[in-house]
Amino acid sequence: RMLSATGRCHTFDAQADGYVRGEGCGVLVLKRLRDAIECGDHVVAVVRGTAVNQDGRSNGLTAPSEAAQVSVIRAALRAAALAPESVGYVEAHGTGTVLGDPIEVSALARALGASHPHRPRAYIGSVKTNIGHLEAAAGVAGLMKAALALKHGEIPAHLNLMQPNPMIAWDTLRFDVPRELHQWPCGYERRIAGVSSFGFVGTNAHVVLEAPPQAPAQSENHVPDSDAH
């Protein structure tokens, strides 16, 4: 069964029974960072690295390839020139199936070193628990959520988590699922987030984002252009 009988995406929950269809669209404005800074643009987040791959011959729609997910996350981190332990939050694909969620969390754990006892704790969540699965727009919705979390240094609550999925080894992982609004986790010099999006046809994508640089402080003697004449 693909669609949830309860009408909720119970991502990472023992009651995970499928996804809820949603409708929406998203628009991102991409610009070179140096150009955006020179123009005084409002920068929400910085794209540090991206990667895309293909599952190949997986076990079907509800049983994706863990190896392919690990590979795409590691490739995005290499493109970003960042260590796995620098990622403090992952916006997971998180469709909400009893088998798909454990596969995704296991892949994240392998790619990000979540079983290492000295790794800072990281948060994982999915916007699908808020708005359902937007299908073609699902990836951009997750990207927007992660970008805003980086901008504000706060991670929104992950909904519909009553009993964590027992097929996920939570006790051995340095992962937490935020059930309420949280500040960015401690132990990180930079705010870095990953965003995963996996397609039904087997295409996997991962993006590594960083919080925007602080805008240069204006001089106290600066006169706004509107008052200069």
Side-chain angles (χ1 to χ4, degrees):
R1 183 173 60 198
M2 296 295 296
L3 297 179
S4 170
T6 60
R8 297 285 187 275
C9 284
H10 294 92
T11 306
F12 308 139
D13 192 85
Q15 298 183 54
D17 62 348
Y19 72 94
V20 180
R21 300 185 73 179
E23 295 183 358
C25 65
V27 177
L28 300 173
V29 178
L30 301 178
K31 200 171 186 178
R32 288 187 177 90
L33 180 60
R34 62 177 179 270
D35 293 340
I37 293 174
E38 288 177 0
C39 292
D41 293 332
H42 178 72
V43 179
V44 179
V46 179
V47 178
R48 288 300 184 193
T50 64
V52 177
N53 72 6
Q54 170 60 235
D55 274 352
R57 292 185 176 180
S58 65
N59 294 321
L61 296 182
T62 59
S65 168
E66 179 178 328
Q69 293 182 14
V70 173
S71 178
V72 78
I73 295 167
R74 287 175 174 170
L77 286 168
R78 286 195 299 271
L82 290 170
E85 59 270 20
S86 66
V87 178
Y89 173 68
V90 176
E91 174 61 21
H93 178 70
T95 300
T97 62
V98 68
L99 182 57
D101 289 350
I103 289 174
E104 180 172 11
V105 174
S106 180
L108 287 171
R110 288 172 57 191
L112 302 180
S115 298
H116 197 288
H118 300 298
R119 190 205 193 285
R121 298 197 71 85
Y123 284 118
I124 59 174
S126 176
V127 74
K128 290 181 180 66
T129 64
N130 301 87
I131 60 176
H133 195 318
L134 303 190
E135 300 186 3
V140 75
L143 188 64
M144 288 175 168
K145 175 188 169 184
L148 290 171
L150 287 164
K151 174 69 175 178
H152 298 290
E154 295 180 331
I155 299 173
H158 176 94
L159 306 184
N160 307 327
L161 184 64
M162 306 302 292
Q163 179 182 351
N165 190 322
M167 296 178 65
I168 300 173
W170 298 106
D171 292 342
T172 66
L173 302 179
R174 305 285 290 171
F175 284 155
D176 294 316
V177 181
R179 304 192 192 194
E180 57 187 19
L181 183 68
H182 279 278
Q183 297 296 313
W184 201 263
C186 299
Y188 295 93
E189 295 182 1
R190 299 157 65 182
R191 292 204 298 271
I192 306 291
V195 183
S196 290
S197 186
F198 310 137
F200 281 153
V201 296
T203 300
N204 303 311
H206 193 79
V207 179
V208 179
L209 302 176
E210 184 172 8
Q214 291 186 345
Q218 291 185 340
S219 168
E220 293 181 0
N221 297 322
H222 173 75
V223 178
D225 292 342
S226 59
D227 298 329
H229 300 289

